[in-house]
Amino acid sequence: MELKDNQISLIIDRVLKEMNNRNLNIEISEGIFNNMDEAINAAEEAQFKLSQMSIEEREKLIVSMRKAILENSMNIASLCVKETGMGRVDHKYLKMKLVAEKTPGTEVLKTDAYTGDKGLTLVEMAPYGVIGAIAPCTNPAATIACNSIGMIASGNSVVFSPHPSAVQCSLTTIRILNKAIREAGGPENLITSIKEPSIQSTNDMINHPKVRMLVATGGPGIVKIVLSSGKKAIGAGAGNPPVVVDETADIKKAARDIIKGCTFDNNLPCIAEKEVIVVEDVYENLISEMKKDGNVYELNEEEIEKLARIVLVEKIENGKKKYTINKSYVGKDAFIILQSIGINVSKEIECLICRVDNSHPFVQEELMMPILPIVKVKSFNDALKLAVEDEHGNRHTAMIHSKNVDNLTKMARAINTTIFVKNAPSYAGIGFGGEGHTTFTIAGPTGEGLTNAATFTRKRRCVMVDSFRII
């Protein structure tokens, strides 16, 4: 029988697909599976093996994971930027390094003990079992690495559902971590995922009976879904962090810190400075100081209008004008964003600043781009009022630059965010240049705050009556 050209093509495609599938099946030992059932079942088996290990042995796995993250940080950072088209390689490298060095391990797992006339009671931190975790495209590798350390340190295994636009960098990170775990004597498949994640596979993970806890790092939509699952869920949602500058601030330092925070990884972190609210006495001085280093470009009114039409998508809902961000520009370099409106500048330009009213969509929408709107107000009280409004009740992150203790205290109480940074760049709030541990899952909506190994545990009480009382 003679085959036609289109039939031959179909056969070749089928053979190649089968060969690719066989090659991918080889990777199963690295934690990558064809579907969620396989991934979850493997993670369940791995978690049982982990439960037979001592905490000391568990910590050896964490040490090996940290080493692997450090050794592969630059390659992973490059892959993230190449695949997603977002952020900066140098800053993603710093985030991976931060994860390796400042993500807590087993040391945060504490046991409470109560003794008295009736004996001894222990309250211990125990694992949930298999955790289902959703990772974002903005910080894919850092989130996966950070969550993996915390979840395994607390005795769990984890099944990840990566963002479809960050699959390869996510799966590469998982493979590297699994290899490090095995080399340290741990079980295979403590961290799993599937080769082609989708909305359906994410739903399968959320609803799977063997998944006992859900962790969503992403936008409000996915957080709402996991909170509606009926399972223990941790939600790390969106933010729109404001920064207030009053007349007592060290303006030179404030200007430098704000630009550093805003431009870190091209403003992708949800903690980054998204809008600045400045009292009028220091408004011009602050803008002048921002422009001194040569990496800041100030947009004029015409350029602001042109850029708004490019980076925002306008729509009408219930007769009202609404905006969403144009995802094509999320995490892009400032000079590339400027090219979209026909302006060519040096690649050294890292931040685009603009003078706008507080109602401007650049202020009200979380852009996740190195575009920084600056609003002028008469007094600190006016600034605080707008900051609370602009944060939109996300309870995520806010910053202030001030030497007035009363103002510092007043804003901390009024804005009530999970992270509140005083006189420093926003990233000090996750331990980069500031004290305290790091995380890339900041649970504002569900209240756990900066997550760590202790967050991924359930408390169990063990009671012995009349015995082991020594007083």
Side-chain angles (χ1 to χ4, degrees):
M1 181 179 69
E2 186 175 344
L3 296 176
K4 296 180 180 179
D5 288 344
N6 66 328
Q7 292 174 311
I8 294 171
S9 296
L10 287 171
I11 292 171
I12 291 172
D13 287 343
R14 192 181 306 122
V15 170
L16 288 173
K17 186 174 181 180
E18 289 174 358
M19 289 176 64
N20 287 334
N21 285 339
R22 284 198 293 272
N23 290 335
L24 284 165
N25 285 337
I26 293 171
E27 298 168 350
I28 285 179
S29 63
E30 300 294 343
I32 312 304
F33 294 85
N34 294 315
N35 58 64
M36 271 297 170
D37 266 342
E38 292 177 358
I40 292 168
N41 288 335
E44 182 188 40
E45 182 180 344
Q47 195 275 329
F48 175 77
K49 293 176 181 177
L50 181 66
S51 70
Q52 308 303 303
M53 300 176 70
S54 67
I55 291 180
E56 184 179 0
E57 289 172 323
R58 205 186 297 170
E59 184 58 31
K60 288 180 181 178
L61 308 186
I62 303 304
V63 170
S64 184
M65 292 168 70
R66 295 186 198 278
K67 182 173 181 288
I69 294 167
L70 286 172
E71 289 175 347
N72 292 277
S73 289
M74 186 56 75
N75 290 337
I76 293 173
S78 300
L79 182 57
C80 285
V81 174
K82 182 179 179 181
E83 182 179 10
T84 67
M86 294 186 288
R88 294 173 47 166
V89 173
D90 55 343
H91 290 172
K92 289 192 184 295
Y93 163 77
L94 291 174
K95 288 198 282 191
M96 294 299 289
K97 187 171 182 290
L98 181 67
V99 165
E101 295 175 346
K102 298 196 75 172
T103 302
T106 58
E107 71 277 3
V108 299
L109 303 178
K110 306 295 183 184
T111 298
D112 290 330
Y114 304 90
T115 63
D117 293 340
K118 297 299 182 183
L120 170 69
T121 292
L122 297 177
V123 180
E124 296 184 309
M125 293 179 168
Y128 274 84
V130 179
I131 297 177
I134 298 164
C137 60
T138 50
N139 298 297
T143 301
I144 286 172
C146 183
N147 280 350
S148 294
I149 289 175
M151 291 170 182
I152 291 170
S154 53
N156 302 284
S157 61
V158 53
V159 182
F160 279 105
S161 179
H163 194 282
S165 64
V167 174
Q168 293 310 313
C169 59
S170 298
L171 299 189
T172 297
T173 304
I174 290 169
R175 293 186 183 107
I176 288 169
L177 293 173
N178 274 324
K179 182 173 182 289
I181 290 166
R182 289 199 319 276
E183 289 175 350
E188 291 186 342
N189 303 320
L190 270 181
I191 311 166
T192 66
S193 187
I194 63 171
K195 61 185 181 183
E196 295 180 0
S198 64
I199 294 173
Q200 182 58 52
S201 66
T202 300
N203 288 331
D204 290 344
M205 182 192 74
I206 290 171
N207 295 308
H208 201 287
K210 291 183 179 179
V211 173
R212 302 303 180 104
M213 174 189 240
L214 296 169
V215 178
T217 309
I222 192 63
V223 170
K224 184 177 180 180
I225 289 171
V226 301
L227 293 183
S228 303
S229 67
K231 299 181 180 182
K232 168 64 177 177
I234 294 174
N240 192 41
V243 51
V244 166
V245 182
D246 75 9
E247 64 276 11
T248 70
D250 180 336
I251 298 302
K252 185 174 183 179
K253 182 178 186 302
R256 183 171 62 247
D257 287 351
I258 292 168
I259 297 301
K260 283 181 179 178
C262 173
T263 58
F264 190 72
D265 206 20
N266 285 342
N267 203 250
L268 285 176
C270 47
I271 63 168
E273 290 84 347
K274 298 296 191 281
E275 62 275 344
V276 188
I277 306 164
V278 194
V279 298
E280 59 184 2
D281 289 351
V282 293
Y283 179 76
E284 293 294 342
N285 191 10
L286 181 73
I287 292 174
S288 176
E289 289 293 341
M290 284 180 169
K291 294 164 66 175
K292 278 186 178 178
D293 287 342
N295 64 337
V296 172
Y297 180 95
E298 183 178 0
L299 301 163
N300 61 35
E301 288 187 11
E302 182 182 355
E303 291 164 347
I304 293 170
E305 187 176 340
K306 284 182 179 179
L307 202 58
R309 290 198 294 266
I310 295 291
V311 303
L312 294 169
V313 179
E314 183 181 318
K315 59 182 180 178
I316 304 297
E317 284 186 5
N318 300 321
K320 293 183 179 181
K321 190 182 293 185
K322 300 283 186 180
Y323 295 93
T324 58
I325 57 173
N326 184 341
K327 294 181 180 179
S328 299
Y329 292 95
V330 169
K332 289 292 189 288
D333 292 328
F335 76 92
I336 291 176
I337 294 174
L338 272 182
Q339 287 175 355
S340 70
I341 58 172
I343 299 174
N344 294 309
V345 295
S346 165
K347 291 183 179 180
E348 293 179 0
I349 295 296
E350 296 179 319
C351 187
L352 310 178
I353 64 172
C354 54
R355 306 168 191 238
V356 295
D357 293 331
N358 197 70
S359 60
H360 196 280
F362 281 0
V363 175
Q364 299 304 318
E365 301 299 324
E366 186 188 22
L367 297 180
M368 291 188 291
M369 309 169 198
I371 300 173
L372 186 65
I374 306 174
V375 177
K376 179 169 65 174
V377 293
K378 289 186 177 299
S379 67
F380 168 77
N381 286 335
D382 292 334
L384 179 55
K385 180 176 181 294
L386 293 185
V388 171
E389 291 176 4
D390 298 342
E391 207 273 328
H392 301 316
N394 292 314
R395 298 291 188 261
H396 200 293
T397 301
M399 285 69 63
I400 185 174
H401 290 268
S402 171
K403 293 182 180 179
N404 185 317
V405 174
D406 289 340
N407 287 353
L408 295 170
T409 305
K410 191 173 183 179
M411 183 168 175
R413 291 174 177 170
I415 204 151
N416 196 23
T417 48
T418 303
I419 296 175
F420 184 57
V421 178
K422 301 175 285 294
N423 299 319
S426 54
Y427 48 66
I430 55 170
F432 188 45
E435 293 298 328
H437 74 272
T438 197
T439 188
F440 283 84
T441 294
I442 300 163
T446 49
E448 291 83 2
L450 277 72
T451 56
N452 59 41
T455 312
F456 309 120
T457 62
R458 48 193 295 268
K459 290 191 175 182
R460 296 193 308 190
R461 174 178 283 208
C462 180
V463 180
M464 180 172 284
V465 176
D466 294 334
S467 298
F468 284 100
R469 173 179 171 269
I470 58 174
I471 56 173

